[in-house]
Amino acid sequence: MKKMVKLVSVILALVMCVGVFASCSKKDDNVLTMATNAEFPPFEYLENGEMVGAEIDMAYAIAEKLGMELEISNIDFDAALAGPATGKYDVAISGITANDERRKNMNFSDPYYVASQAIIVMENSEIKVAADLKGKTISCQEGTTGEQFILDNKYDIQSYKTGADAIAALTAGKVDAVVIDDAVARALSAENQGTKVLEEPLTKEEYAIALKLGNDELTEKINKALAELKAEGKLVEIFSKYNLPMDGEVVVAEDAEATSDAVTSAAEAE
Ligand code: ARG
């Protein structure tokens, strides 16, 4: 009888172990978990409470290529950027600029879009070119390369959780300019009467998908999916749907190194 009890408890313990493992073992293998900050039109934003945008469409197209289901979490940008490193998300897709500083802490896919930092000012502003930013107060989104640009140039800075808050500070007269990614600058300016975007690009940056440092297997798979989407013309199709012309300038991986530190070098060139 004693033996029997022992056997039963061993079996019970085993069953419990399996149960614990199953619930602890991370998410479904067939689900691609993605972190984003849907405050970045037209790449990712909310429309009637739904996440839409070029990178949302791109993410679904990639997941489809991988034969995986996509699960998107909308969180703060700095949290999204750090997301893959924590193991909570497989990828972060959020208009993320791949640069050498970030490469120390994360894997990047091949780049898929070329962007720059741009300046938003009020229509009647005395700021006409980048050089006029000297001595001015500039707002930006927290944790972004735009913020880094302002810091590197030692301008007075006001960082906000979202780009929308950063431009609200401009229209409220709290700052003289906003520095944010060019396409987003155009989208935000269009929504805010009395503002305009200066044409002069401040940096050259490339967007890529962020993954956990060393997650080379998934990085490779995603690169393959991206390459296929490019070859099929699907990527250009997705981006042009959101008025994001790629100008045929879909950069190849080799170019990434040369331009990845554009922000710092632009700052150093000052
Ligand atoms: N490209 C900039 C960066 O990587 C800004 C990205 C902000 N993205 C967003 N979804 N809010 O820092």
Side-chain angles (χ1 to χ4, degrees), residues 150-243:
I150 302 169
L151 292 173
D152 288 344
N153 286 284
K154 302 192 169 60
Y155 297 131
D156 280 337
I157 185 167
Q158 281 186 22
S159 296
Y160 292 89
K161 277 273 173 242
T162 68
D165 290 345
I167 195 168
L170 174 71
T171 54
K174 290 189 206 155
V175 298
D176 305 301
V178 182
V179 167
I180 197 161
D181 301 49
D182 52 352
V184 182
R186 287 192 289 274
L188 291 177
S189 176
E191 291 167 8
N192 283 270
Q193 281 224 340
T195 67
K196 66 176 178 190
V197 179
L198 300 183
E199 288 307 321
E200 190 180 350
L202 302 174
T203 58
K204 186 179 180 211
E205 306 180 16
E206 294 175 331
Y207 292 172
I209 296 169
L211 298 97
K212 192 188 180 103
L213 191 66
N215 190 356
D216 299 338
E217 198 185 321
L218 185 58
T219 307
E220 276 317 304
K221 281 190 197 164
I222 286 181
N223 281 342
K224 190 166 166 270
L226 270 174
E228 284 176 20
L229 290 171
K230 281 181 197 173
E232 293 160 7
K234 188 86 184 126
L235 215 54
V236 173
E237 191 183 296
I238 288 172
F239 278 76
S240 53
K241 185 178 148 198
Y242 294 90
N243 281 316

Coordinates of all heavy atoms in Angstrom, one line a residue, residues 150-243:
I150 N 19.1 65.8 -30.9 CA 19.0 67.1 -30.1 C 20.0 67.1 -29.0 O 20.7 68.1 -28.8 CB 17.6 67.3 -29.6 CG1 16.5 67.3 -30.7 CG2 17.5 68.6 -28.8 CD1 15.1 67.2 -30.2
L151 N 20.2 65.9 -28.4 CA 21.1 65.8 -27.3 C 22.6 66.0 -27.8 O 23.4 66.7 -27.2 CB 21.0 64.5 -26.6 CG 19.7 64.2 -25.8 CD1 19.6 62.8 -25.3 CD2 19.6 65.2 -24.6
D152 N 22.9 65.3 -28.9 CA 24.2 65.4 -29.5 C 24.6 66.8 -29.8 O 25.7 67.2 -29.8 CB 24.3 64.5 -30.8 CG 24.3 63.0 -30.4 OD1 24.6 62.7 -29.3 OD2 24.1 62.2 -31.4
N153 N 23.6 67.6 -30.3 CA 23.8 69.0 -30.7 C 23.7 70.0 -29.5 O 23.8 71.2 -29.7 CB 22.9 69.4 -31.8 CG 23.4 68.7 -33.1 OD1 24.3 69.2 -33.7 ND2 22.7 67.6 -33.5
K154 N 23.3 69.4 -28.3 CA 23.2 70.2 -27.1 C 22.2 71.3 -27.2 O 22.4 72.4 -26.7 CB 24.6 70.8 -26.7 CG 25.6 69.7 -26.5 CD 26.9 70.2 -25.8 CE 27.8 69.0 -25.4 NZ 28.2 68.2 -26.5
Y155 N 21.1 71.1 -27.9 CA 20.0 72.0 -28.0 C 19.2 71.8 -26.7 O 19.2 70.8 -26.1 CB 19.1 71.8 -29.2 CG 19.8 72.0 -30.5 CD1 19.7 71.0 -31.5 CD2 20.5 73.1 -30.8 CE1 20.3 71.1 -32.8 CE2 21.2 73.3 -32.0 CZ 21.0 72.3 -33.0 OH 21.6 72.4 -34.2
D156 N 18.4 72.8 -26.3 CA 17.4 72.6 -25.2 C 16.4 71.6 -25.7 O 15.9 71.8 -26.8 CB 16.8 74.0 -24.9 CG 17.7 74.8 -24.0 OD1 18.6 74.2 -23.4 OD2 17.6 76.0 -24.0
I157 N 16.1 70.7 -24.8 CA 15.2 69.6 -25.3 C 14.0 69.4 -24.4 O 14.0 69.7 -23.2 CB 16.1 68.3 -25.3 CG1 15.3 67.1 -25.9 CG2 16.6 67.9 -23.9 CD1 16.1 65.9 -26.2
Q158 N 12.9 69.1 -25.0 CA 11.7 68.6 -24.3 C 11.3 67.3 -24.9 O 10.8 67.3 -26.1 CB 10.6 69.7 -24.4 CG 10.8 70.8 -23.4 CD 9.6 71.8 -23.4 OE1 8.5 71.4 -23.8 NE2 9.8 73.0 -23.0
S159 N 11.4 66.2 -24.2 CA 11.0 64.9 -24.7 C 9.6 64.5 -24.2 O 9.3 64.7 -23.1 CB 12.0 63.8 -24.2 OG 13.3 64.1 -24.7
Y160 N 8.9 64.0 -25.2 CA 7.5 63.6 -24.9 C 7.3 62.1 -25.2 O 8.1 61.5 -26.0 CB 6.5 64.4 -25.7 CG 6.5 65.9 -25.3 CD1 7.4 66.8 -25.8 CD2 5.6 66.3 -24.3 CE1 7.3 68.1 -25.4 CE2 5.6 67.6 -23.8 CZ 6.5 68.5 -24.4 OH 6.4 69.8 -24.0
K161 N 6.3 61.5 -24.6 CA 6.0 60.1 -24.8 C 5.6 59.8 -26.3 O 5.9 58.7 -26.8 CB 4.8 59.7 -24.0 CG 5.2 59.3 -22.6 CD 5.6 57.8 -22.5 CE 6.1 57.5 -21.1 NZ 7.5 57.0 -21.1
T162 N 5.0 60.8 -27.0 CA 4.6 60.5 -28.4 C 4.9 61.7 -29.2 O 5.1 62.8 -28.7 CB 3.0 60.3 -28.5 OG1 2.4 61.6 -28.2 CG2 2.5 59.2 -27.5
G163 N 5.0 61.5 -30.5 CA 5.2 62.5 -31.5 C 4.1 63.5 -31.5 O 4.3 64.7 -31.6
A164 N 2.9 63.0 -31.2 CA 1.7 63.9 -31.2 C 1.8 64.9 -30.0 O 1.5 66.1 -30.2 CB 0.4 63.1 -31.0
D165 N 2.3 64.4 -28.9 CA 2.6 65.3 -27.8 C 3.7 66.3 -28.1 O 3.6 67.5 -27.7 CB 3.0 64.5 -26.5 CG 1.8 63.7 -26.0 OD1 0.6 64.0 -26.3 OD2 2.0 62.8 -25.1
A166 N 4.7 65.9 -28.8 CA 5.8 66.7 -29.2 C 5.4 67.9 -30.1 O 5.8 69.0 -29.9 CB 6.9 65.9 -29.9
I167 N 4.5 67.6 -31.0 CA 4.0 68.7 -31.9 C 2.9 69.5 -31.2 O 2.8 70.7 -31.4 CB 3.5 68.1 -33.3 CG1 3.4 69.3 -34.3 CG2 2.2 67.4 -33.1 CD1 3.1 68.9 -35.7
A168 N 2.2 69.0 -30.2 CA 1.3 69.8 -29.4 C 2.1 70.8 -28.6 O 1.6 71.9 -28.4 CB 0.5 68.9 -28.5
A169 N 3.3 70.5 -28.2 CA 4.1 71.4 -27.5 C 4.5 72.6 -28.4 O 4.6 73.7 -28.0 CB 5.4 70.7 -26.9
L170 N 4.7 72.3 -29.7 CA 5.0 73.3 -30.7 C 3.8 74.3 -30.9 O 4.0 75.5 -30.8 CB 5.4 72.7 -32.0 CG 5.7 73.6 -33.1 CD1 7.0 74.4 -32.9 CD2 5.8 72.9 -34.5
T171 N 2.7 73.7 -31.1 CA 1.5 74.6 -31.4 C 1.1 75.4 -30.2 O 0.5 76.4 -30.3 CB 0.3 73.7 -32.0 OG1 0.0 72.7 -31.1 CG2 0.6 73.2 -33.3
A172 N 1.4 74.8 -29.0 CA 1.1 75.5 -27.7 C 2.2 76.6 -27.4 O 2.0 77.3 -26.4 CB 1.0 74.5 -26.6
G173 N 3.2 76.7 -28.3 CA 4.2 77.7 -28.1 C 5.2 77.4 -27.0 O 6.0 78.2 -26.6
K174 N 5.3 76.1 -26.6 CA 6.2 75.7 -25.5 C 7.6 75.5 -26.1 O 8.6 75.5 -25.4 CB 5.8 74.5 -24.8 CG 4.5 74.7 -24.0 CD 4.3 73.4 -23.1 CE 2.8 73.3 -22.8 NZ 2.5 71.9 -22.5
V175 N 7.7 75.1 -27.4 CA 9.0 74.9 -28.0 C 9.0 75.6 -29.4 O 8.0 76.0 -29.9 CB 9.2 73.3 -28.2 CG1 9.3 72.6 -26.9 CG2 8.2 72.7 -29.2
D176 N 10.2 75.7 -29.9 CA 10.4 76.4 -31.2 C 10.3 75.4 -32.4 O 10.1 75.9 -33.5 CB 11.8 77.1 -31.2 CG 11.9 78.0 -30.0 OD1 11.1 78.9 -29.9 OD2 12.8 77.8 -29.2
A177 N 10.6 74.2 -32.2 CA 10.6 73.2 -33.3 C 10.5 71.8 -32.7 O 10.6 71.5 -31.5 CB 11.9 73.3 -34.0
V178 N 10.1 70.9 -33.6 CA 10.1 69.4 -33.3 C 11.1 68.7 -34.2 O 11.2 69.1 -35.4 CB 8.7 68.8 -33.6 CG1 8.6 67.4 -33.2 CG2 7.6 69.6 -32.9
V179 N 11.8 67.8 -33.7 CA 12.6 67.0 -34.6 C 12.1 65.5 -34.5 O 12.0 65.0 -33.4 CB 14.1 67.0 -34.2 CG1 14.9 65.9 -34.9 CG2 14.7 68.4 -34.5
I180 N 11.7 65.0 -35.7 CA 11.1 63.7 -35.8 C 11.4 63.1 -37.2 O 11.7 63.9 -38.1 CB 9.6 63.7 -35.4 CG1 9.1 62.3 -35.0 CG2 8.8 64.4 -36.5 CD1 7.8 62.4 -34.2
D181 N 11.2 61.9 -37.4 CA 11.4 61.2 -38.7 C 10.5 61.9 -39.7 O 9.4 62.3 -39.5 CB 11.0 59.7 -38.6 CG 11.9 59.0 -37.5 OD1 12.0 59.5 -36.4 OD2 12.4 57.9 -37.8
D182 N 11.1 62.0 -40.9 CA 10.5 62.9 -42.0 C 9.1 62.6 -42.4 O 8.3 63.5 -42.4 CB 11.5 62.9 -43.2 CG 11.9 61.5 -43.8 OD1 11.6 60.5 -43.1 OD2 12.5 61.5 -44.8
A183 N 8.8 61.3 -42.7 CA 7.4 61.0 -43.1 C 6.4 61.2 -42.0 O 5.3 61.6 -42.3 CB 7.4 59.5 -43.6
V184 N 6.9 61.0 -40.8 CA 6.0 61.2 -39.6 C 5.8 62.7 -39.4 O 4.7 63.2 -39.1 CB 6.6 60.5 -38.4 CG1 5.7 60.7 -37.2 CG2 6.9 59.0 -38.6
A185 N 6.9 63.5 -39.6 CA 6.8 64.9 -39.6 C 5.7 65.4 -40.5 O 4.9 66.3 -40.1 CB 8.2 65.5 -39.9
R186 N 5.7 64.9 -41.7 CA 4.7 65.3 -42.7 C 3.3 64.9 -42.3 O 2.4 65.7 -42.4 CB 5.1 64.7 -44.1 CG 6.3 65.4 -44.8 CD 6.4 65.0 -46.2 NE 6.8 63.6 -46.4 CZ 8.1 63.2 -46.4 NH1 9.1 64.1 -46.2 NH2 8.4 61.9 -46.5
A187 N 3.2 63.7 -41.8 CA 1.8 63.3 -41.3 C 1.4 64.1 -40.1 O 0.2 64.5 -40.1 CB 1.9 61.8 -40.9
L188 N 2.2 64.4 -39.2 CA 1.8 65.1 -38.0 C 1.5 66.6 -38.3 O 0.6 67.2 -37.9 CB 2.9 65.1 -36.9 CG 3.1 63.7 -36.2 CD1 4.3 63.8 -35.2 CD2 1.8 63.2 -35.5
S189 N 2.4 67.1 -39.2 CA 2.2 68.5 -39.6 C 0.9 68.7 -40.3 O 0.2 69.7 -40.1 CB 3.4 69.0 -40.5 OG 3.1 70.3 -41.0
A190 N 0.5 67.7 -41.2 CA -0.8 67.8 -41.9 C -2.0 67.8 -41.0 O -3.0 68.4 -41.3 CB -0.9 66.6 -42.9
E191 N -1.8 67.2 -39.8 CA -2.9 67.2 -38.8 C -2.9 68.4 -37.9 O -3.8 68.6 -37.1 CB -2.7 66.0 -37.9 CG -3.0 64.6 -38.6 CD -2.5 63.5 -37.7 OE1 -2.2 63.7 -36.5 OE2 -2.5 62.3 -38.3
N192 N -1.8 69.3 -38.0 CA -1.7 70.4 -37.1 C -1.6 71.7 -37.9 O -0.5 72.1 -38.4 CB -0.5 70.2 -36.2 CG -0.8 69.2 -35.1 OD1 -1.2 69.6 -34.0 ND2 -0.5 68.0 -35.3
Q193 N -2.7 72.4 -38.0 CA -2.8 73.7 -38.8 C -1.7 74.7 -38.3 O -1.4 74.8 -37.1 CB -4.1 74.3 -38.5 CG -5.2 73.6 -39.4 CD -6.1 74.7 -40.0 OE1 -6.1 75.8 -39.6 NE2 -6.7 74.4 -41.1
G194 N -1.1 75.4 -39.2 CA -0.2 76.4 -38.9 C 1.3 75.9 -38.7 O 2.2 76.7 -38.4
T195 N 1.5 74.6 -39.0 CA 2.8 74.1 -38.9 C 3.3 73.7 -40.3 O 2.5 73.5 -41.2 CB 2.9 72.8 -38.0 OG1 2.2 71.7 -38.6 CG2 2.3 73.1 -36.6
K196 N 4.6 73.6 -40.4 CA 5.2 73.1 -41.7 C 6.5 72.3 -41.4 O 7.1 72.5 -40.4 CB 5.5 74.3 -42.6 CG 6.6 75.2 -42.1 CD 6.9 76.3 -43.1 CE 8.0 77.2 -42.5 NZ 8.3 78.4 -43.2
V197 N 6.9 71.6 -42.5 CA 8.1 70.7 -42.3 C 9.2 71.4 -43.2 O 8.9 71.7 -44.3 CB 7.8 69.3 -42.8 CG1 9.1 68.4 -42.7 CG2 6.7 68.7 -42.0
L198 N 10.4 71.5 -42.6 CA 11.5 72.0 -43.4 C 12.1 70.9 -44.2 O 12.2 69.8 -43.7 CB 12.6 72.7 -42.5 CG 12.1 73.8 -41.6 CD1 13.3 74.4 -40.8 CD2 11.5 74.9 -42.5
E199 N 12.4 71.2 -45.4 CA 12.8 70.1 -46.3 C 14.2 69.5 -46.0 O 14.4 68.3 -46.2 CB 12.9 70.6 -47.8 CG 11.5 70.8 -48.4 CD 10.6 69.6 -48.2 OE1 11.1 68.5 -48.4 OE2 9.4 69.8 -48.0
E200 N 15.0 70.3 -45.4 CA 16.4 69.8 -45.2 C 16.5 68.6 -44.3 O 16.1 68.6 -43.1 CB 17.1 71.0 -44.4 CG 18.6 70.9 -44.3 CD 19.2 72.1 -43.6 OE1 18.5 73.1 -43.4 OE2 20.4 72.0 -43.2
P201 N 17.0 67.5 -44.8 CA 17.1 66.3 -44.0 C 18.3 66.4 -43.0 O 19.4 66.9 -43.4 CB 17.4 65.2 -45.0 CG 17.9 65.8 -46.2 CD 17.4 67.2 -46.2
L202 N 18.1 66.1 -41.7 CA 19.2 66.2 -40.7 C 20.1 65.0 -40.7 O 21.2 65.1 -40.2 CB 18.5 66.5 -39.4 CG 17.6 67.7 -39.2 CD1 17.0 67.7 -37.9 CD2 18.4 69.0 -39.5
T203 N 19.6 63.9 -41.0 CA 20.3 62.6 -40.9 C 19.9 61.7 -42.1 O 19.0 62.0 -42.8 CB 19.9 61.9 -39.6 OG1 18.5 61.6 -39.7 CG2 20.3 62.6 -38.4
K204 N 20.6 60.6 -42.2 CA 20.1 59.5 -43.1 C 20.1 58.3 -42.2 O 21.1 57.9 -41.5 CB 21.1 59.3 -44.2 CG 20.5 58.3 -45.2 CD 21.4 58.1 -46.4 CE 20.8 57.0 -47.3 NZ 21.9 56.3 -48.1
E205 N 18.9 57.7 -42.1 CA 18.7 56.5 -41.2 C 18.0 55.4 -42.0 O 17.3 55.6 -42.9 CB 17.9 56.9 -40.0 CG 18.5 58.1 -39.3 CD 17.7 58.6 -38.1 OE1 16.9 57.8 -37.6 OE2 17.9 59.7 -37.7
E206 N 18.2 54.2 -41.5 CA 17.5 53.1 -42.1 C 16.7 52.3 -41.1 O 17.2 52.0 -40.0 CB 18.6 52.1 -42.7 CG 19.3 52.8 -43.9 CD 20.4 51.9 -44.4 OE1 21.0 51.2 -43.7 OE2 20.7 52.1 -45.6
Y207 N 15.5 52.0 -41.5 CA 14.6 51.3 -40.6 C 14.9 49.8 -40.8 O 15.0 49.3 -41.9 CB 13.1 51.5 -40.9 CG 12.6 52.9 -40.6 CD1 11.4 53.3 -41.0 CD2 13.4 53.9 -39.9 CE1 10.9 54.6 -40.7 CE2 12.9 55.1 -39.6 CZ 11.7 55.5 -40.1 OH 11.2 56.8 -39.8
A208 N 14.9 49.1 -39.6 CA 15.0 47.6 -39.7 C 14.3 47.0 -38.5 O 13.8 47.7 -37.6 CB 16.5 47.2 -39.6
I209 N 14.1 45.7 -38.6 CA 13.3 45.0 -37.5 C 14.3 44.6 -36.4 O 15.4 44.1 -36.7 CB 12.7 43.8 -38.1 CG1 11.6 44.2 -39.1 CG2 12.0 42.9 -37.0 CD1 11.0 43.1 -40.0
A210 N 14.0 44.9 -35.2 CA 14.8 44.6 -34.0 C 14.5 43.2 -33.5 O 13.3 42.9 -33.3 CB 14.7 45.7 -33.0
L211 N 15.5 42.5 -33.1 CA 15.3 41.2 -32.5 C 16.3 41.0 -31.3 O 17.2 41.9 -31.2 CB 15.6 40.0 -33.5 CG 14.7 39.9 -34.7 CD1 15.4 40.6 -35.9 CD2 14.4 38.5 -35.1
K212 N 16.1 40.0 -30.6 CA 17.0 39.7 -29.4 C 18.4 39.5 -30.0 O 18.6 38.8 -31.0 CB 16.6 38.5 -28.7 CG 17.2 38.3 -27.3 CD 16.8 37.0 -26.7 CE 17.5 36.8 -25.4 NZ 16.6 37.0 -24.3
L213 N 19.4 40.1 -29.3 CA 20.8 39.9 -29.7 C 21.1 38.4 -29.7 O 20.9 37.7 -28.8 CB 21.7 40.6 -28.7 CG 23.2 40.7 -29.1 CD1 23.4 41.7 -30.3 CD2 24.0 41.3 -27.9
G214 N 21.6 38.0 -30.9 CA 22.0 36.5 -31.0 C 20.9 35.7 -31.6 O 21.1 34.5 -31.8
N215 N 19.7 36.2 -31.7 CA 18.6 35.4 -32.3 C 18.8 35.4 -33.9 O 17.9 35.9 -34.6 CB 17.2 36.0 -31.9 CG 16.1 35.1 -32.3 OD1 16.3 34.0 -33.0 ND2 14.9 35.4 -32.0
D216 N 19.9 34.8 -34.3 CA 20.2 34.8 -35.7 C 19.3 33.9 -36.5 O 19.1 34.2 -37.7 CB 21.7 34.3 -35.9 CG 22.6 35.2 -35.1 OD1 22.3 36.3 -34.8 OD2 23.8 34.7 -34.8
E217 N 18.7 32.9 -35.9 CA 17.8 32.0 -36.7 C 16.6 32.8 -37.2 O 16.3 32.7 -38.4 CB 17.4 30.8 -35.8 CG 16.9 29.7 -36.6 CD 16.4 28.6 -35.7 OE1 17.0 28.3 -34.6 OE2 15.3 28.0 -36.0
L218 N 16.0 33.5 -36.3 CA 14.8 34.2 -36.7 C 15.2 35.4 -37.6 O 14.4 35.8 -38.5 CB 14.0 34.7 -35.5 CG 12.6 35.4 -35.7 CD1 11.7 34.4 -36.6 CD2 11.9 35.8 -34.5
T219 N 16.3 36.0 -37.3 CA 16.8 37.2 -38.1 C 16.9 36.7 -39.5 O 16.5 37.4 -40.5 CB 18.1 37.7 -37.6 OG1 18.0 38.0 -36.2 CG2 18.5 39.0 -38.3
E220 N 17.5 35.5 -39.7 CA 17.7 35.0 -41.1 C 16.4 34.8 -41.8 O 16.2 35.1 -42.9 CB 18.5 33.7 -41.0 CG 20.0 33.9 -41.0 CD 20.5 34.9 -41.9 OE1 20.2 34.8 -43.1 OE2 21.1 35.9 -41.5
K221 N 15.5 34.1 -41.0 CA 14.1 33.8 -41.6 C 13.4 35.1 -42.0 O 12.8 35.2 -43.1 CB 13.3 33.1 -40.6 CG 13.6 31.7 -40.4 CD 12.5 31.1 -39.5 CE 12.9 29.7 -39.0 NZ 12.1 29.3 -37.9
I222 N 13.6 36.1 -41.2 CA 12.9 37.4 -41.5 C 13.6 38.1 -42.7 O 12.9 38.7 -43.6 CB 12.9 38.3 -40.2 CG1 11.8 37.7 -39.3 CG2 12.6 39.8 -40.6 CD1 11.6 38.5 -38.0
N223 N 14.9 38.0 -42.8 CA 15.6 38.6 -43.9 C 15.2 37.9 -45.2 O 15.0 38.6 -46.2 CB 17.1 38.4 -43.7 CG 17.7 39.5 -42.8 OD1 17.0 40.5 -42.5 ND2 18.9 39.2 -42.3
K224 N 15.0 36.6 -45.1 CA 14.5 35.9 -46.3 C 13.1 36.3 -46.7 O 12.8 36.6 -47.9 CB 14.5 34.4 -46.0 CG 14.3 33.5 -47.2 CD 14.7 32.0 -46.9 CE 14.2 31.1 -48.0 NZ 12.8 30.7 -47.8
A225 N 12.2 36.5 -45.7 CA 10.9 36.9 -46.0 C 10.9 38.3 -46.6 O 10.2 38.6 -47.6 CB 10.1 36.9 -44.7
L226 N 11.7 39.2 -46.0 CA 11.9 40.6 -46.5 C 12.3 40.6 -48.0 O 11.8 41.3 -48.8 CB 12.8 41.4 -45.7 CG 12.3 42.1 -44.4 CD1 13.4 42.7 -43.6 CD2 11.3 43.2 -44.9
A227 N 13.4 39.8 -48.2 CA 13.9 39.7 -49.6 C 12.9 39.3 -50.6 O 12.8 39.8 -51.7 CB 15.1 38.8 -49.6
E228 N 12.1 38.3 -50.2 CA 11.0 37.8 -51.1 C 10.0 38.9 -51.3 O 9.5 39.1 -52.4 CB 10.3 36.6 -50.5 CG 11.2 35.3 -50.6 CD 10.5 34.1 -49.9 OE1 9.3 34.2 -49.6 OE2 11.3 33.2 -49.6
L229 N 9.6 39.6 -50.2 CA 8.6 40.7 -50.4 C 9.1 41.8 -51.3 O 8.4 42.4 -52.0 CB 8.2 41.2 -49.0 CG 7.4 40.3 -48.1 CD1 7.3 40.8 -46.7 CD2 6.0 40.0 -48.7
K230 N 10.4 42.1 -51.2 CA 11.0 43.1 -52.0 C 11.0 42.6 -53.5 O 10.5 43.3 -54.4 CB 12.5 43.3 -51.7 CG 12.7 44.2 -50.5 CD 14.2 44.4 -50.2 CE 14.4 44.9 -48.8 NZ 15.8 45.0 -48.4
A231 N 11.4 41.4 -53.7 CA 11.5 40.8 -55.1 C 10.1 40.8 -55.7 O 10.0 41.0 -56.9 CB 12.1 39.4 -55.0
E232 N 9.1 40.5 -54.9 CA 7.8 40.4 -55.5 C 7.1 41.8 -55.7 O 6.0 41.9 -56.2 CB 6.9 39.6 -54.5 CG 7.3 38.1 -54.4 CD 6.7 37.5 -53.1 OE1 5.9 38.2 -52.4 OE2 7.1 36.4 -52.8
G233 N 7.8 42.8 -55.3 CA 7.3 44.2 -55.4 C 6.2 44.5 -54.3 O 5.6 45.5 -54.3
K234 N 6.0 43.5 -53.4 CA 5.0 43.6 -52.4 C 5.3 44.8 -51.4 O 4.4 45.5 -50.9 CB 4.9 42.3 -51.7 CG 3.8 42.2 -50.7 CD 2.5 41.7 -51.4 CE 1.4 41.7 -50.4 NZ 0.2 42.4 -50.6
L235 N 6.6 44.9 -51.1 CA 7.0 45.9 -50.1 C 6.7 47.3 -50.6 O 6.2 48.1 -49.9 CB 8.5 45.7 -49.8 CG 9.0 46.0 -48.4 CD1 8.2 45.2 -47.3 CD2 10.4 45.7 -48.2
V236 N 7.1 47.6 -51.8 CA 6.9 48.9 -52.4 C 5.4 49.1 -52.5 O 4.9 50.2 -52.2 CB 7.5 48.9 -53.9 CG1 7.0 50.2 -54.6 CG2 9.0 48.8 -53.8
E237 N 4.6 48.1 -52.8 CA 3.2 48.2 -52.9 C 2.6 48.6 -51.5 O 1.8 49.5 -51.4 CB 2.6 46.8 -53.3 CG 1.1 46.8 -53.7 CD 0.7 45.4 -54.0 OE1 1.3 44.8 -54.9 OE2 -0.1 44.8 -53.2
I238 N 3.0 48.0 -50.5 CA 2.6 48.3 -49.1 C 2.9 49.7 -48.7 O 2.0 50.5 -48.3 CB 3.2 47.3 -48.1 CG1 2.6 45.9 -48.2 CG2 3.0 47.8 -46.7 CD1 3.2 44.8 -47.4
F239 N 4.2 50.1 -49.0 CA 4.6 51.4 -48.5 C 3.9 52.5 -49.4 O 3.6 53.6 -48.9 CB 6.1 51.5 -48.5 CG 6.7 51.0 -47.3 CD1 6.8 49.6 -47.1 CD2 7.1 51.8 -46.3 CE1 7.3 49.0 -45.9 CE2 7.7 51.3 -45.1 CZ 7.8 49.9 -44.9
S240 N 3.7 52.3 -50.7 CA 3.1 53.3 -51.5 C 1.6 53.5 -51.1 O 1.1 54.6 -51.3 CB 3.3 53.1 -53.0 OG 2.9 51.8 -53.3
K241 N 1.0 52.5 -50.6 CA -0.4 52.6 -50.1 C -0.5 53.7 -49.1 O -1.5 54.3 -48.9 CB -0.8 51.2 -49.6 CG -2.3 51.1 -49.2 CD -2.6 49.7 -48.7 CE -3.7 49.8 -47.6 NZ -3.8 48.6 -46.8
Y242 N 0.6 53.9 -48.3 CA 0.6 54.9 -47.3 C 1.4 56.1 -47.7 O 1.9 56.9 -46.9 CB 1.2 54.3 -46.0 CG 0.3 53.2 -45.4 CD1 0.4 51.9 -45.8 CD2 -0.8 53.5 -44.6 CE1 -0.4 50.9 -45.3 CE2 -1.6 52.6 -44.1 CZ -1.4 51.2 -44.4 OH -2.2 50.2 -43.9
N243 N 1.5 56.3 -49.0 CA 2.2 57.5 -49.5 C 3.7 57.5 -49.1 O 4.2 58.6 -48.7 CB 1.5 58.8 -49.2 CG 0.4 59.0 -50.1 OD1 0.5 58.8 -51.3 ND2 -0.8 59.4 -49.5

